[in-house]
Amino acid sequence: MYNLIVPKDKLLRQLNKQVDFSFVYEELRANYCLDHGRNIIDPVRMFKYLLLKAIFSPT
């Protein structure tokens, strides 16, 4: 469905293809405990949200 809606030349599609967001896990490893406390929101998902907010927020 995603492939039908989002054009191939769209900035967000290109960004997702070009950037390996796994670096976020490494950067935050000391701040997240995987087996204690509440379930966390995936750090990569949160990073992408903040990136989208930075790109598309009116200044």
Side-chain angles (χ1 to χ4, degrees):
M1 185 70 154
Y2 179 81
N3 291 327
L4 298 174
I5 298 171
V6 180
K8 292 190 185 292
D9 61 343
K10 197 72 168 171
L11 170 68
L12 297 178
R13 186 185 286 266
Q14 293 173 4
L15 187 65
N16 198 38
K17 188 180 202 180
Q18 296 294 324
V19 178
D20 178 14
F21 289 100
S22 64
F23 74 91
V24 175
Y25 294 117
E26 187 63 33
E27 290 293 323
L28 298 175
R29 181 189 314 247
N31 299 329
Y32 282 93
C33 181
L34 298 176
D35 58 357
H36 289 87
R38 292 185 274 170
N39 293 337
I40 62 166
I41 296 174
D42 183 28
V44 171
R45 185 175 178 191
M46 293 299 294
F47 181 83
K48 287 181 178 181
Y49 166 75
L50 293 172
L51 182 61
L52 288 173
K53 191 174 174 184
I55 292 172
F56 293 109
S57 289
T59 54

Short mmCIF file of all heavy atoms in Angstrom, two decimals:
data_model
loop_
_atom_site.label_atom_id
_atom_site.label_comp_id
_atom_site.label_asym_id
_atom_site.label_seq_id
_atom_site.Cartn_x
_atom_site.Cartn_y
_atom_site.Cartn_z
N MET A 1 0.82 -1.19 0.00
CA MET A 1 0.00 0.00 0.00
C MET A 1 0.86 1.26 0.00
O MET A 1 0.59 2.20 -0.70
CB MET A 1 -0.92 -0.05 1.22
CG MET A 1 -1.89 1.07 1.26
SD MET A 1 -3.09 0.84 -0.04
CE MET A 1 -4.45 1.68 0.61
N TYR A 2 1.90 1.27 0.82
CA TYR A 2 2.83 2.40 0.91
C TYR A 2 3.41 2.72 -0.46
O TYR A 2 3.51 3.88 -0.84
CB TYR A 2 3.92 2.05 1.91
CG TYR A 2 4.98 3.11 2.10
CD1 TYR A 2 4.76 4.19 2.93
CD2 TYR A 2 6.21 3.01 1.46
CE1 TYR A 2 5.73 5.15 3.13
CE2 TYR A 2 7.19 3.97 1.66
CZ TYR A 2 6.94 5.03 2.48
OH TYR A 2 7.89 5.98 2.67
N ASN A 3 3.79 1.69 -1.20
CA ASN A 3 4.39 1.89 -2.52
C ASN A 3 3.42 2.50 -3.52
O ASN A 3 3.84 3.15 -4.46
CB ASN A 3 4.92 0.56 -3.07
CG ASN A 3 6.12 0.09 -2.29
OD1 ASN A 3 6.91 0.89 -1.80
ND2 ASN A 3 6.25 -1.21 -2.14
N LEU A 4 2.13 2.29 -3.32
CA LEU A 4 1.14 2.86 -4.23
C LEU A 4 0.85 4.32 -3.92
O LEU A 4 0.50 5.09 -4.81
CB LEU A 4 -0.17 2.06 -4.14
CG LEU A 4 -0.09 0.60 -4.56
CD1 LEU A 4 -1.42 -0.09 -4.28
CD2 LEU A 4 0.27 0.49 -6.03
N ILE A 5 0.99 4.72 -2.67
CA ILE A 5 0.62 6.06 -2.24
C ILE A 5 1.77 7.06 -2.34
O ILE A 5 1.59 8.18 -2.78
CB ILE A 5 0.07 6.03 -0.80
CG1 ILE A 5 -1.19 5.17 -0.77
CG2 ILE A 5 -0.21 7.41 -0.28
CD1 ILE A 5 -1.69 4.88 0.63
N VAL A 6 2.95 6.65 -1.90
CA VAL A 6 4.09 7.57 -1.84
C VAL A 6 4.92 7.45 -3.11
O VAL A 6 5.43 6.37 -3.44
CB VAL A 6 4.97 7.26 -0.61
CG1 VAL A 6 6.15 8.21 -0.54
CG2 VAL A 6 4.16 7.32 0.66
N PRO A 7 5.06 8.55 -3.86
CA PRO A 7 5.86 8.52 -5.09
C PRO A 7 7.32 8.12 -4.81
O PRO A 7 7.86 8.42 -3.75
CB PRO A 7 5.79 9.95 -5.61
CG PRO A 7 4.62 10.56 -4.94
CD PRO A 7 4.47 9.86 -3.63
N LYS A 8 7.93 7.48 -5.78
CA LYS A 8 9.31 7.00 -5.61
C LYS A 8 10.32 8.14 -5.45
O LYS A 8 11.36 7.96 -4.85
CB LYS A 8 9.70 6.12 -6.79
CG LYS A 8 8.95 4.82 -6.82
CD LYS A 8 9.54 3.88 -7.84
CE LYS A 8 8.72 2.63 -7.97
NZ LYS A 8 8.75 1.77 -6.82
N ASP A 9 10.03 9.30 -5.98
CA ASP A 9 10.97 10.42 -5.89
C ASP A 9 10.72 11.33 -4.68
O ASP A 9 11.34 12.36 -4.54
CB ASP A 9 10.94 11.24 -7.17
CG ASP A 9 9.57 11.86 -7.43
OD1 ASP A 9 8.59 11.41 -6.83
OD2 ASP A 9 9.49 12.78 -8.26
N LYS A 10 9.85 10.93 -3.79
CA LYS A 10 9.53 11.73 -2.60
C LYS A 10 10.72 11.77 -1.65
O LYS A 10 11.44 10.79 -1.47
CB LYS A 10 8.33 11.10 -1.91
CG LYS A 10 7.64 11.99 -0.94
CD LYS A 10 6.90 13.05 -1.68
CE LYS A 10 5.97 13.77 -0.73
NZ LYS A 10 5.39 14.93 -1.31
N LEU A 11 10.94 12.93 -1.02
CA LEU A 11 12.08 13.13 -0.12
C LEU A 11 12.12 12.08 1.00
O LEU A 11 13.18 11.52 1.29
CB LEU A 11 12.01 14.52 0.50
CG LEU A 11 12.98 14.79 1.64
CD1 LEU A 11 14.41 14.81 1.13
CD2 LEU A 11 12.64 16.07 2.35
N LEU A 12 10.99 11.80 1.60
CA LEU A 12 10.98 10.87 2.74
C LEU A 12 11.35 9.45 2.33
O LEU A 12 12.02 8.74 3.07
CB LEU A 12 9.61 10.88 3.42
CG LEU A 12 9.21 12.21 4.02
CD1 LEU A 12 7.82 12.12 4.61
CD2 LEU A 12 10.21 12.68 5.03
N ARG A 13 10.93 9.04 1.17
CA ARG A 13 11.29 7.71 0.67
C ARG A 13 12.79 7.64 0.42
O ARG A 13 13.46 6.67 0.78
CB ARG A 13 10.53 7.40 -0.62
CG ARG A 13 10.73 5.99 -1.11
CD ARG A 13 10.06 5.77 -2.43
NE ARG A 13 8.63 5.66 -2.35
CZ ARG A 13 7.98 4.51 -2.23
NH1 ARG A 13 8.65 3.39 -2.17
NH2 ARG A 13 6.68 4.48 -2.17
N GLN A 14 13.35 8.67 -0.18
CA GLN A 14 14.79 8.72 -0.44
C GLN A 14 15.59 8.75 0.86
O GLN A 14 16.61 8.07 0.98
CB GLN A 14 15.13 9.93 -1.30
CG GLN A 14 14.57 9.85 -2.68
CD GLN A 14 14.77 11.13 -3.47
OE1 GLN A 14 15.41 12.07 -2.99
NE2 GLN A 14 14.25 11.17 -4.68
N LEU A 15 15.10 9.51 1.81
CA LEU A 15 15.78 9.60 3.11
C LEU A 15 15.80 8.24 3.80
O LEU A 15 16.83 7.81 4.32
CB LEU A 15 15.06 10.62 3.99
CG LEU A 15 15.70 10.97 5.31
CD1 LEU A 15 17.03 11.66 5.11
CD2 LEU A 15 14.77 11.87 6.11
N ASN A 16 14.69 7.55 3.79
CA ASN A 16 14.61 6.23 4.42
C ASN A 16 15.52 5.22 3.72
O ASN A 16 16.08 4.33 4.36
CB ASN A 16 13.16 5.75 4.41
CG ASN A 16 12.93 4.63 5.39
OD1 ASN A 16 13.48 4.65 6.49
ND2 ASN A 16 12.13 3.67 5.01
N LYS A 17 15.68 5.38 2.42
CA LYS A 17 16.53 4.47 1.66
C LYS A 17 18.02 4.74 1.88
O LYS A 17 18.83 3.83 1.93
CB LYS A 17 16.19 4.63 0.17
CG LYS A 17 16.82 3.64 -0.74
CD LYS A 17 16.38 3.93 -2.16
CE LYS A 17 16.50 2.74 -3.04
NZ LYS A 17 16.08 3.02 -4.41
N GLN A 18 18.37 6.01 2.05
CA GLN A 18 19.78 6.41 2.12
C GLN A 18 20.38 6.38 3.53
O GLN A 18 21.57 6.21 3.69
CB GLN A 18 19.94 7.82 1.55
CG GLN A 18 19.61 7.94 0.09
CD GLN A 18 20.57 7.16 -0.78
OE1 GLN A 18 21.76 7.09 -0.50
NE2 GLN A 18 20.06 6.58 -1.85
N VAL A 19 19.54 6.56 4.55
CA VAL A 19 20.05 6.68 5.92
C VAL A 19 19.81 5.38 6.69
O VAL A 19 18.69 4.88 6.74
CB VAL A 19 19.37 7.86 6.66
CG1 VAL A 19 19.87 7.96 8.09
CG2 VAL A 19 19.61 9.16 5.91
N ASP A 20 20.86 4.89 7.30
CA ASP A 20 20.75 3.72 8.19
C ASP A 20 20.51 4.24 9.60
O ASP A 20 21.42 4.77 10.24
CB ASP A 20 22.03 2.89 8.11
CG ASP A 20 21.99 1.69 9.03
OD1 ASP A 20 20.90 1.34 9.53
OD2 ASP A 20 23.06 1.10 9.25
N PHE A 21 19.29 4.13 10.07
CA PHE A 21 18.92 4.69 11.36
C PHE A 21 19.32 3.80 12.54
O PHE A 21 19.02 4.13 13.68
CB PHE A 21 17.41 4.95 11.40
CG PHE A 21 16.99 6.09 10.52
CD1 PHE A 21 16.45 5.86 9.27
CD2 PHE A 21 17.14 7.39 10.95
CE1 PHE A 21 16.06 6.90 8.47
CE2 PHE A 21 16.75 8.45 10.15
CZ PHE A 21 16.21 8.21 8.90
N SER A 22 20.01 2.72 12.29
CA SER A 22 20.40 1.84 13.40
C SER A 22 21.41 2.49 14.34
O SER A 22 21.58 2.02 15.46
CB SER A 22 20.96 0.53 12.85
OG SER A 22 22.14 0.75 12.13
N PHE A 23 22.04 3.58 13.92
CA PHE A 23 22.98 4.27 14.81
C PHE A 23 22.27 4.78 16.07
O PHE A 23 22.90 4.96 17.10
CB PHE A 23 23.66 5.44 14.08
CG PHE A 23 22.76 6.63 13.86
CD1 PHE A 23 22.71 7.65 14.79
CD2 PHE A 23 21.98 6.73 12.71
CE1 PHE A 23 21.88 8.75 14.59
CE2 PHE A 23 21.16 7.81 12.50
CZ PHE A 23 21.10 8.83 13.45
N VAL A 24 20.98 5.00 15.98
CA VAL A 24 20.22 5.50 17.12
C VAL A 24 20.27 4.49 18.28
O VAL A 24 20.42 4.87 19.44
CB VAL A 24 18.76 5.80 16.72
CG1 VAL A 24 17.93 6.20 17.92
CG2 VAL A 24 18.71 6.87 15.64
N TYR A 25 20.16 3.20 17.96
CA TYR A 25 20.23 2.17 19.00
C TYR A 25 21.56 2.22 19.73
O TYR A 25 21.61 2.12 20.96
CB TYR A 25 20.03 0.78 18.40
CG TYR A 25 18.67 0.54 17.84
CD1 TYR A 25 18.50 0.29 16.48
CD2 TYR A 25 17.54 0.55 18.64
CE1 TYR A 25 17.25 0.06 15.95
CE2 TYR A 25 16.28 0.32 18.12
CZ TYR A 25 16.14 0.07 16.78
OH TYR A 25 14.90 -0.14 16.26
N GLU A 26 22.64 2.38 18.99
CA GLU A 26 23.97 2.43 19.59
C GLU A 26 24.13 3.66 20.48
O GLU A 26 24.66 3.58 21.59
CB GLU A 26 25.04 2.41 18.51
CG GLU A 26 26.45 2.28 19.03
CD GLU A 26 26.70 0.98 19.77
OE1 GLU A 26 26.11 -0.04 19.40
OE2 GLU A 26 27.49 1.01 20.73
N GLU A 27 23.65 4.79 20.00
CA GLU A 27 23.76 6.03 20.77
C GLU A 27 22.98 5.98 22.08
O GLU A 27 23.39 6.58 23.07
CB GLU A 27 23.27 7.22 19.93
CG GLU A 27 24.17 7.57 18.77
CD GLU A 27 25.51 8.11 19.21
OE1 GLU A 27 25.58 8.85 20.22
OE2 GLU A 27 26.51 7.77 18.55
N LEU A 28 21.88 5.27 22.09
CA LEU A 28 21.00 5.27 23.26
C LEU A 28 21.08 3.99 24.09
O LEU A 28 20.30 3.82 25.03
CB LEU A 28 19.55 5.50 22.82
CG LEU A 28 19.29 6.83 22.13
CD1 LEU A 28 17.86 6.89 21.65
CD2 LEU A 28 19.61 7.99 23.05
N ARG A 29 22.00 3.13 23.78
CA ARG A 29 22.10 1.84 24.46
C ARG A 29 22.14 1.97 25.98
O ARG A 29 21.46 1.25 26.69
CB ARG A 29 23.33 1.08 23.97
CG ARG A 29 23.49 -0.27 24.63
CD ARG A 29 24.82 -0.94 24.30
NE ARG A 29 25.13 -0.87 22.90
CZ ARG A 29 25.19 -1.91 22.07
NH1 ARG A 29 24.95 -3.11 22.55
NH2 ARG A 29 25.48 -1.76 20.81
N ALA A 30 22.89 2.91 26.50
CA ALA A 30 23.04 3.07 27.95
C ALA A 30 21.79 3.66 28.60
O ALA A 30 21.62 3.56 29.81
CB ALA A 30 24.24 3.96 28.26
N ASN A 31 20.89 4.22 27.81
CA ASN A 31 19.71 4.89 28.36
C ASN A 31 18.45 4.03 28.37
O ASN A 31 17.44 4.46 28.91
CB ASN A 31 19.42 6.17 27.57
CG ASN A 31 20.56 7.15 27.66
OD1 ASN A 31 21.26 7.21 28.65
ND2 ASN A 31 20.77 7.91 26.61
N TYR A 32 18.48 2.88 27.73
CA TYR A 32 17.31 2.03 27.64
C TYR A 32 17.59 0.66 28.23
O TYR A 32 18.60 0.04 27.93
CB TYR A 32 16.87 1.85 26.18
CG TYR A 32 16.14 3.03 25.64
CD1 TYR A 32 16.80 4.04 24.96
CD2 TYR A 32 14.76 3.15 25.80
CE1 TYR A 32 16.13 5.13 24.47
CE2 TYR A 32 14.07 4.24 25.30
CZ TYR A 32 14.77 5.22 24.63
OH TYR A 32 14.08 6.30 24.14
N CYS A 33 16.70 0.19 29.06
CA CYS A 33 16.77 -1.15 29.60
C CYS A 33 15.67 -1.97 28.93
O CYS A 33 14.50 -1.62 29.00
CB CYS A 33 16.58 -1.13 31.11
SG CYS A 33 16.68 -2.78 31.82
N LEU A 34 16.04 -3.06 28.30
CA LEU A 34 15.07 -3.83 27.52
C LEU A 34 14.22 -4.78 28.36
O LEU A 34 13.21 -5.27 27.90
CB LEU A 34 15.81 -4.61 26.43
CG LEU A 34 16.54 -3.76 25.40
CD1 LEU A 34 17.31 -4.64 24.44
CD2 LEU A 34 15.59 -2.85 24.66
N ASP A 35 14.62 -5.03 29.61
CA ASP A 35 13.86 -6.02 30.38
C ASP A 35 13.31 -5.50 31.71
O ASP A 35 12.84 -6.28 32.52
CB ASP A 35 14.72 -7.25 30.62
CG ASP A 35 16.01 -6.94 31.35
OD1 ASP A 35 16.28 -5.76 31.63
OD2 ASP A 35 16.74 -7.89 31.64
N HIS A 36 13.31 -4.20 31.94
CA HIS A 36 12.74 -3.63 33.17
C HIS A 36 11.84 -2.44 32.81
O HIS A 36 12.10 -1.72 31.87
CB HIS A 36 13.84 -3.13 34.11
CG HIS A 36 14.60 -4.23 34.74
ND1 HIS A 36 15.69 -4.80 34.15
CD2 HIS A 36 14.42 -4.88 35.91
CE1 HIS A 36 16.16 -5.76 34.93
NE2 HIS A 36 15.41 -5.83 36.00
N GLY A 37 10.81 -2.25 33.61
CA GLY A 37 9.96 -1.07 33.43
C GLY A 37 8.94 -1.24 32.31
O GLY A 37 8.68 -2.33 31.83
N ARG A 38 8.36 -0.13 31.92
CA ARG A 38 7.32 -0.13 30.89
C ARG A 38 7.93 -0.39 29.52
O ARG A 38 9.11 -0.17 29.29
CB ARG A 38 6.61 1.22 30.86
CG ARG A 38 5.80 1.47 32.09
CD ARG A 38 5.03 2.74 31.94
NE ARG A 38 5.90 3.84 32.35
CZ ARG A 38 5.62 5.11 32.16
NH1 ARG A 38 4.54 5.47 31.54
NH2 ARG A 38 6.44 6.04 32.58
N ASN A 39 7.07 -0.82 28.62
CA ASN A 39 7.51 -0.98 27.23
C ASN A 39 7.87 0.39 26.67
O ASN A 39 7.20 1.37 26.94
CB ASN A 39 6.40 -1.60 26.38
CG ASN A 39 6.11 -3.02 26.78
OD1 ASN A 39 6.94 -3.68 27.37
ND2 ASN A 39 4.92 -3.48 26.46
N ILE A 40 8.90 0.42 25.89
CA ILE A 40 9.36 1.68 25.32
C ILE A 40 8.85 1.82 23.89
O ILE A 40 8.54 0.85 23.22
CB ILE A 40 10.89 1.79 25.33
CG1 ILE A 40 11.52 0.68 24.47
CG2 ILE A 40 11.43 1.76 26.73
CD1 ILE A 40 12.97 0.89 24.16
N ILE A 41 8.79 3.04 23.44
CA ILE A 41 8.56 3.31 22.03
C ILE A 41 9.92 3.16 21.36
O ILE A 41 10.94 3.62 21.88
CB ILE A 41 8.00 4.72 21.82
CG1 ILE A 41 6.62 4.82 22.47
CG2 ILE A 41 7.93 5.06 20.34
CD1 ILE A 41 6.02 6.19 22.46
N ASP A 42 9.93 2.51 20.24
CA ASP A 42 11.18 2.27 19.52
C ASP A 42 11.95 3.58 19.34
O ASP A 42 11.40 4.56 18.82
CB ASP A 42 10.87 1.64 18.17
CG ASP A 42 12.11 1.29 17.39
OD1 ASP A 42 13.15 1.01 18.02
OD2 ASP A 42 12.04 1.28 16.15
N PRO A 43 13.21 3.66 19.78
CA PRO A 43 13.98 4.89 19.67
C PRO A 43 14.12 5.38 18.23
O PRO A 43 14.13 6.59 17.99
CB PRO A 43 15.35 4.53 20.25
CG PRO A 43 15.16 3.28 21.00
CD PRO A 43 13.96 2.61 20.48
N VAL A 44 14.22 4.48 17.28
CA VAL A 44 14.32 4.90 15.88
C VAL A 44 13.03 5.58 15.45
O VAL A 44 13.05 6.59 14.75
CB VAL A 44 14.65 3.70 14.95
CG1 VAL A 44 14.54 4.09 13.50
CG2 VAL A 44 16.05 3.18 15.25
N ARG A 45 11.92 5.04 15.89
CA ARG A 45 10.62 5.65 15.56
C ARG A 45 10.54 7.06 16.13
O ARG A 45 10.08 8.00 15.47
CB ARG A 45 9.52 4.78 16.13
CG ARG A 45 8.15 5.21 15.79
CD ARG A 45 7.20 4.17 16.33
NE ARG A 45 5.83 4.53 16.10
CZ ARG A 45 4.81 3.90 16.64
NH1 ARG A 45 5.02 2.87 17.43
NH2 ARG A 45 3.59 4.27 16.40
N MET A 46 10.98 7.23 17.37
CA MET A 46 10.97 8.55 17.98
C MET A 46 11.93 9.51 17.27
O MET A 46 11.62 10.67 17.05
CB MET A 46 11.35 8.45 19.47
CG MET A 46 10.33 7.73 20.31
SD MET A 46 8.72 8.54 20.30
CE MET A 46 9.10 10.05 21.13
N PHE A 47 13.09 9.01 16.87
CA PHE A 47 14.06 9.84 16.15
C PHE A 47 13.48 10.30 14.81
O PHE A 47 13.60 11.47 14.43
CB PHE A 47 15.36 9.07 15.92
CG PHE A 47 16.40 9.87 15.20
CD1 PHE A 47 17.21 10.75 15.89
CD2 PHE A 47 16.57 9.73 13.84
CE1 PHE A 47 18.17 11.50 15.22
CE2 PHE A 47 17.52 10.47 13.16
CZ PHE A 47 18.32 11.36 13.86
N LYS A 48 12.82 9.38 14.11
CA LYS A 48 12.21 9.74 12.83
C LYS A 48 11.11 10.78 13.02
O LYS A 48 10.95 11.69 12.21
CB LYS A 48 11.66 8.49 12.13
CG LYS A 48 12.74 7.61 11.55
CD LYS A 48 12.13 6.41 10.86
CE LYS A 48 13.16 5.52 10.23
NZ LYS A 48 12.55 4.38 9.54
N TYR A 49 10.34 10.64 14.08
CA TYR A 49 9.31 11.63 14.38
C TYR A 49 9.92 13.01 14.57
O TYR A 49 9.45 14.00 14.01
CB TYR A 49 8.52 11.22 15.62
CG TYR A 49 7.68 12.33 16.17
CD1 TYR A 49 6.50 12.71 15.54
CD2 TYR A 49 8.07 13.02 17.32
CE1 TYR A 49 5.74 13.75 16.03
CE2 TYR A 49 7.30 14.05 17.81
CZ TYR A 49 6.15 14.42 17.16
OH TYR A 49 5.41 15.46 17.64
N LEU A 50 10.98 13.09 15.37
CA LEU A 50 11.63 14.37 15.60
C LEU A 50 12.26 14.93 14.32
O LEU A 50 12.24 16.14 14.10
CB LEU A 50 12.69 14.23 16.70
CG LEU A 50 12.14 13.92 18.09
CD1 LEU A 50 13.27 13.61 19.06
CD2 LEU A 50 11.29 15.08 18.59
N LEU A 51 12.79 14.05 13.49
CA LEU A 51 13.36 14.48 12.22
C LEU A 51 12.27 15.06 11.31
O LEU A 51 12.44 16.12 10.71
CB LEU A 51 14.05 13.30 11.53
CG LEU A 51 14.75 13.58 10.21
CD1 LEU A 51 15.85 14.61 10.40
CD2 LEU A 51 15.31 12.30 9.63
N LEU A 52 11.14 14.38 11.23
CA LEU A 52 10.01 14.89 10.44
C LEU A 52 9.54 16.24 10.96
O LEU A 52 9.24 17.15 10.19
CB LEU A 52 8.85 13.90 10.46
CG LEU A 52 9.03 12.64 9.66
CD1 LEU A 52 7.86 11.69 9.92
CD2 LEU A 52 9.14 12.95 8.19
N LYS A 53 9.48 16.35 12.26
CA LYS A 53 9.05 17.60 12.87
C LYS A 53 10.02 18.73 12.53
O LYS A 53 9.59 19.85 12.23
CB LYS A 53 8.97 17.40 14.39
CG LYS A 53 8.31 18.51 15.12
CD LYS A 53 8.15 18.14 16.59
CE LYS A 53 7.62 19.31 17.38
NZ LYS A 53 7.54 19.01 18.79
N ALA A 54 11.31 18.44 12.53
CA ALA A 54 12.31 19.44 12.20
C ALA A 54 12.25 19.83 10.72
O ALA A 54 12.41 21.00 10.37
CB ALA A 54 13.71 18.93 12.55
N ILE A 55 12.00 18.87 9.86
CA ILE A 55 11.96 19.15 8.43
C ILE A 55 10.71 19.92 8.05
O ILE A 55 10.78 20.87 7.26
CB ILE A 55 12.02 17.83 7.61
CG1 ILE A 55 13.40 17.18 7.77
CG2 ILE A 55 11.72 18.07 6.14
CD1 ILE A 55 13.49 15.78 7.16
N PHE A 56 9.57 19.56 8.59
CA PHE A 56 8.31 20.10 8.12
C PHE A 56 7.65 21.14 9.04
O PHE A 56 6.55 21.59 8.77
CB PHE A 56 7.32 18.97 7.85
CG PHE A 56 7.74 18.11 6.69
CD1 PHE A 56 8.19 16.82 6.91
CD2 PHE A 56 7.73 18.60 5.41
CE1 PHE A 56 8.60 16.03 5.85
CE2 PHE A 56 8.13 17.80 4.35
CZ PHE A 56 8.57 16.52 4.56
N SER A 57 8.32 21.52 10.12
CA SER A 57 7.75 22.55 11.00
C SER A 57 7.90 23.91 10.37
O SER A 57 8.97 24.25 9.87
CB SER A 57 8.46 22.55 12.35
OG SER A 57 8.11 21.43 13.08
N PRO A 58 6.85 24.71 10.45
CA PRO A 58 7.00 26.10 9.97
C PRO A 58 7.89 26.86 10.95
O PRO A 58 7.84 26.62 12.16
CB PRO A 58 5.59 26.64 9.97
CG PRO A 58 4.80 25.74 10.86
CD PRO A 58 5.52 24.42 10.90
N THR A 59 8.70 27.73 10.44
CA THR A 59 9.62 28.47 11.32
C THR A 59 9.07 29.81 11.71
O THR A 59 8.16 30.32 11.21
CB THR A 59 10.97 28.69 10.63
OG1 THR A 59 10.75 29.31 9.36
CG2 THR A 59 11.70 27.39 10.46
#
